[in-house]
Amino acid sequence: SSYFAEDSDDSDSDESSEEDSAEEDTDSSDGSDAEESASEDSDGESDSEDSEDETSDSEADDDEVDNLALAVSGGFRWNEDDEAGNSQASASDSDSDASDDAASPAAKSKKGSKRSKMQATQDVTADLSEQAPRSANDFERLVMGSPDSSFVWIQFMTYYLSQSEVEQAREIAERALKTISPREEQEKMNVWVALLNLEHRFGTKDTLDDVLKRALQYMNPKHVYLQMAKIYERAEQIAEAVRIHKIATSKFSESCKVWVLFGLLYLKTDQVTESRDLLARALRSLPKRKHVKAIMQFGQMEFKHGEPERGRTVFEGVLSTYPKRVDLWSVYLDMEISSVTRQGLDAADPSGRCWAPARKLFERVTSMKHSSKKMKFFFKKWLKFEKDHGTEATVEHVKQRAREFVNSLGA
């Protein structure tokens, strides 16, 4: 508000503003003398005083423009040219009109000007907060505010890589590993993976091996090996990916995950025989309690990336041993339903021949002896399937089968 304060030649100029008048022509020492002079002065004296007041008002206008210029130096975009012109126009209009009503628009104009300046400040500040970091200093502020965020550190590395400054990106990764709290293991792991990717793409075999050894020392070795295998797989370096998977299966032979991911790599690269041989090796190495899990996941991979008929063989084999496992039946049904889309069959075929294997499986599982809770699960799943892919007749058939089951319980 100090930028918009009106200057006066006297120390008592604030008394004239209390009367809410646009005539700021007071040149006397107190307010009472100003009122008497306004009513009793002659025409000649009024003219001289008006000329003096115009001079005083022009000085006040100059001061007001100067104050606006000071406001601009604060660093925000105030749209100073337009607003300074508006302020001068408001002041001149106020001086030329002697009525009380002329003061109100001028005051509103000043208030509106202040509001527009405040709005401009808020808009600029909002734009600054939403801008993405564009320089190293911007990233430095971000990492100071979020020192444990791997996302920020990795974006910082990406910034330097976009500038072809690989060494700077390495230094940022090393800083991140030293800065991130030891409790944030996943955040550290993310940075290690980013550094492995960096060395794989821009480094040498020696630098990559060095980073891999360090990562194996500080992080979970199984996770590091699997991430390294993924890096090679994405780069289509299948031989290197197989090498890393072989190391992982030898060191962590009791982990179902390493065997499944190794088998998935074989299937994705059309090495079907190697994948099936791998399942036999996995069952020899895994604890017995993990056999069902491994067989089920290899069966799913056959449906998705191999041959659906081979997947059916795998599931039939495990279900012959564990016929009461609801989770096995549920996964088997899901694989049969989704295989129609993956094989490119016409799901809208009016004959419904593509859904015959799934319907046959539903008929089979609901004909077995299960508990009421399990049977309810299968009937609900079957009903949903028919509503999505069947007809009114097939939906009614499922409902009839469910009623028959309920009646058999009461008999």
Side-chain angles (χ1 to χ4, degrees):
S1 62
S2 60
Y3 294 154
F4 301 95
E6 296 182 357
D7 295 336
S8 175
D9 296 338
D10 317 284
S11 60
D12 297 326
S13 60
D14 54 342
E15 295 183 7
S16 61
S17 61
E18 295 177 0
E19 297 297 325
D20 206 12
S21 172
E23 296 181 359
E24 297 175 351
D25 54 349
T26 58
D27 58 345
S28 61
S29 59
D30 54 42
S32 60
D33 294 336
E35 294 178 358
E36 294 176 0
S37 62
S39 60
E40 297 177 359
D41 283 345
S42 63
D43 293 338
E45 290 175 346
S46 297
D47 294 338
S48 63
E49 287 176 0
D50 288 341
S51 62
E52 291 178 0
D53 291 338
E54 290 176 359
T55 303
S56 176
D57 292 336
S58 63
E59 293 176 356
D61 292 341
D62 293 338
D63 291 341
E64 189 171 6
V65 174
D66 292 339
N67 286 334
L68 284 172
L70 289 174
V72 173
S73 65
F76 294 98
R77 292 177 290 173
W78 296 94
N79 296 326
E80 63 271 16
D81 295 335
D82 295 338
E83 292 175 358
N86 293 337
S87 298
Q88 290 177 347
S90 299
S92 61
D93 292 341
S94 176
D95 293 335
S96 61
D97 195 346
S99 64
D100 291 341
D101 295 336
S104 179
K108 290 181 180 179
S109 176
K110 293 179 181 179
K111 291 180 180 179
S113 177
K114 292 181 181 179
R115 283 196 298 269
S116 63
K117 292 178 182 180
M118 293 180 65
Q119 184 64 40
T121 305
Q122 293 173 358
D123 292 344
V124 173
T125 306
D127 291 342
L128 291 173
S129 65
E130 294 174 359
Q131 289 177 355
R134 299 179 180 178
S135 65
N137 290 334
D138 293 340
F139 279 106
E140 289 291 351
R141 286 191 289 269
L142 284 177
V143 297
M144 288 180 63
S146 304
D148 291 335
S149 173
S150 61
F151 175 79
V152 175
W153 287 106
I154 293 171
Q155 290 297 313
F156 202 174
M157 293 172 61
T158 305
Y159 166 77
Y160 276 121
L161 290 177
S162 67
Q163 306 294 324
S164 300
E165 299 182 10
V166 178
E167 191 57 38
Q168 292 286 349
R170 286 193 182 99
E171 292 178 3
I172 294 300
E174 297 294 342
R175 278 181 56 194
L177 294 173
K178 294 177 182 178
T179 304
I180 296 175
S181 171
R183 295 189 297 271
E184 303 292 342
E185 293 186 4
Q186 186 57 53
E187 301 296 324
K188 278 185 173 290
M189 185 65 188
N190 294 340
V191 177
W192 278 113
V193 173
L195 187 55
L196 287 170
N197 275 291
L198 184 149
E199 296 298 344
H200 175 260
R201 184 171 180 181
F202 301 102
T204 63
K205 188 177 186 304
D206 292 336
T207 59
L208 178 60
D209 290 341
D210 179 65
V211 172
L212 179 60
K213 289 178 182 178
R214 291 170 55 206
L216 291 170
Q217 180 181 357
Y218 290 106
M219 304 305 297
N220 186 319
K222 182 176 76 173
H223 297 165
V224 174
Y225 278 123
L226 295 178
Q227 290 293 339
M228 191 69 243
K230 288 182 180 179
I231 292 173
Y232 281 128
E233 183 181 349
R234 285 193 295 267
E236 298 183 355
Q237 297 176 320
I238 305 304
E240 288 295 323
V242 170
R243 180 180 66 84
I244 295 296
H245 273 298
K246 287 181 177 179
I247 297 174
T249 52
S250 64
K251 290 181 175 292
F252 309 100
S253 59
E254 295 188 354
S255 171
C256 182
K257 185 177 183 179
V258 297
W259 292 105
V260 170
L261 291 178
F262 196 2
L264 181 60
L265 174 65
Y266 275 142
L267 283 176
K268 285 183 174 180
T269 55
D270 296 327
Q271 302 180 63
V272 179
T273 304
E274 289 81 354
S275 175
R276 293 168 185 173
D277 293 340
L278 191 66
L279 175 58
R281 288 176 50 198
L283 295 177
R284 289 195 297 268
S285 301
L286 290 171
K288 191 174 181 179
R289 58 186 174 83
K290 294 186 178 182
H291 283 191
V292 176
K293 178 181 178 182
I295 294 171
M296 181 174 65
Q297 292 189 357
F298 269 85
Q300 289 178 268
M301 290 190 302
E302 286 285 356
F303 267 105
K304 294 178 180 179
H305 305 285
E307 300 175 1
E309 192 58 41
R310 171 64 182 175
R312 294 185 184 99
T313 302
V314 172
F315 273 100
E316 291 293 343
V318 70
L319 283 170
S320 64
T321 308
Y322 305 96
K324 299 294 185 180
R325 290 281 298 265
V326 177
D327 57 335
L328 293 177
W329 283 106
S330 180
V331 173
Y332 191 9
L333 288 165
D334 289 337
M335 291 297 102
E336 280 287 7
I337 295 170
S338 59
S339 67
V340 173
T341 304
R342 282 193 295 270
Q343 295 180 73
L345 301 178
D346 186 7
D349 184 3
S351 64
R353 285 176 295 185
C354 60
W355 301 114
R359 288 195 174 98
K360 184 178 179 181
L361 199 58
F362 275 115
E363 292 280 359
R364 179 179 159 194
V365 70
T366 53
S367 299
M368 299 174 64
K369 292 183 178 180
H370 295 287
S371 66
S372 300
K373 184 177 181 180
K374 293 179 180 179
M375 291 296 290
K376 181 180 179 181
F377 168 78
F378 289 127
F379 276 120
K380 288 180 66 175
K381 191 177 186 71
W382 190 6
L383 182 63
K384 183 180 184 304
F385 165 76
E386 295 296 352
K387 287 181 177 179
D388 293 339
H389 307 289
T391 62
E392 293 182 2
T394 57
V395 170
E396 185 59 33
H397 174 68
V398 176
K399 293 179 179 179
Q400 180 61 31
R401 287 291 307 273
R403 283 192 291 266
E404 291 174 359
F405 172 73
V406 173
N407 292 335
S408 66
L409 293 177

